[in-house]
Amino acid sequence: MIPNAVKQAWSEGRPTLNGWLGIGNPFTAEIMAAAGFDSLTIDLQHGFLDYSDAKAMLQAMRASGVTPIARAPWREPGIIMKLLDAGAYGIICPMVNTAEEAADLVAMVRYPPRGNRSFGPTRVSFSAGANYPAEANDQVMVLAMIETGEAFANVDAICATPGLDGIYIGPSDLTLGVTNGRLPAGVDRTEPEMIETIKAIQAAAKRAGIAAGLHCGTPAYAAQAVGWGFDMVTIAADSALLASGSRGAVTEARALLGSGAGAGSGDKPSGY
């Protein structure tokens, strides 16, 4: 089986860069995969895509060698097992609030005797190389999202779950949960109370000997998070990159062209 490069990096003490895919399109996934990320996560929870999209995206990403991860829409065995069978090397699961839920999640990604994953590696038996059934339990990774007040209260017990490879912080839901909506949702938190909360979750993961991941909005914040000890940082999402790149190009063009450029006129340059 082709080794899980992200798990290998963590075992060597090297942090990894993760990208986020929310656009259900194999071409955008292929472009992101060629950018040099260590891993890419296909977002089936909030992304504008479904399982049919994810299949083609996994195929498009294969040539790059990037480690494919999927965020499941929920802690539900059917879709989690299908994503693994399609080729995902890792599962990020939202809204894991207790140690019991974490243990249930782990069982979904491990074959017996370490779990209850159903056997049927349809595509992954080809994409992952030989000996997948014997090595998958060790190579496939599973991360529980810590993003509610309840999960934060139970973080030590969740992190101590046997077989859990790591936790992943969703700052938006975490902020809403631990402040009961007092602070607005968003990534790259700067409030002292939220920084303290994020660092406390990372410390719980370290005590348990598992990895800690953080969803970031900028490379600068991601670098700061690595300085705090995070093992995986998400630094860019396809939709955000497309939006910012488009806005930047238009803003620069209008500044260079001056007031003569019609704002949003829809006129096309000659040759179109």
Side-chain angles (χ1 to χ4, degrees):
M1 178 178 175
I2 298 170
N4 187 323
V6 169
K7 292 189 72 172
Q8 180 65 33
W10 292 347
S11 71
E12 297 170 357
R14 294 185 287 114
T16 58
L17 300 180
N18 181 57
W20 207 254
L21 302 178
I23 300 173
N25 186 280
F27 187 34
T28 55
E30 186 177 32
I31 292 169
M32 290 281 283
F37 292 98
D38 296 300
S39 59
L40 286 175
T41 298
I42 302 173
D43 183 9
L44 280 85
Q45 184 191 20
H46 293 302
F48 198 55
L49 56 94
D50 59 16
Y51 174 73
S52 294
D53 299 312
K55 291 187 301 181
M57 293 165 74
L58 287 164
Q59 291 174 304
M61 292 158 55
R62 183 186 181 190
S64 71
V66 70
T67 299
I69 303 172
R71 176 161 74 168
W74 206 249
R75 184 174 47 85
E76 192 278 314
I79 187 60
I80 287 175
M81 293 181 194
K82 281 181 72 68
L83 288 167
L84 293 174
D85 291 342
Y89 260 53
I91 294 292
I92 297 176
C93 183
M95 297 289 179
V96 177
N97 293 318
T98 67
E100 292 75 17
E101 291 178 357
D104 187 43
L105 169 64
V106 169
M108 296 176 192
V109 305
R110 308 287 186 225
Y111 290 125
R114 292 163 59 181
N116 54 35
R117 178 183 171 187
S118 177
F119 187 80
T122 309
R123 173 181 176 267
V124 73
S125 60
F126 297 96
S127 63
N131 213 30
Y132 180 85
E135 298 181 38
N137 278 349
D138 293 322
Q139 293 295 333
V140 171
M141 59 189 176
V142 56
L143 286 77
M145 291 195 72
I146 306 295
E147 51 184 348
T148 67
E150 182 182 7
F152 181 60
N154 294 323
V155 68
D156 283 306
I158 292 172
C159 289
T161 302
L164 188 69
D165 294 293
I167 53 88
Y168 188 83
I169 298 176
S172 292
D173 278 323
L174 180 67
T175 301
L176 292 174
V178 299
T179 71
N180 199 29
R182 176 171 48 82
L183 293 176
V187 297
D188 294 1
R189 309 308 305 196
T190 58
E191 304 89 351
E193 64 185 293
M194 289 310 305
I195 292 176
E196 181 180 350
T197 298
I198 289 169
K199 288 183 175 180
I201 296 171
Q202 185 275 337
K206 292 299 107 176
R207 286 193 298 272
I210 64 174
L214 179 65
H215 200 93
C216 305
T218 62
Y221 197 92
Q224 180 176 242
V226 169
W228 295 338
F230 279 89
D231 303 285
M232 180 172 75
V233 285
T234 295
I235 60 170
D238 52 4
S239 57
L241 289 171
L242 180 61
S244 63
S246 299
R247 284 194 300 265
V250 171
T251 298
E252 181 180 0
R254 293 204 186 284
L256 293 171
L257 293 172
S259 58
S265 65
D267 294 337
K268 297 180 179 178
S270 59
Y272 278 73

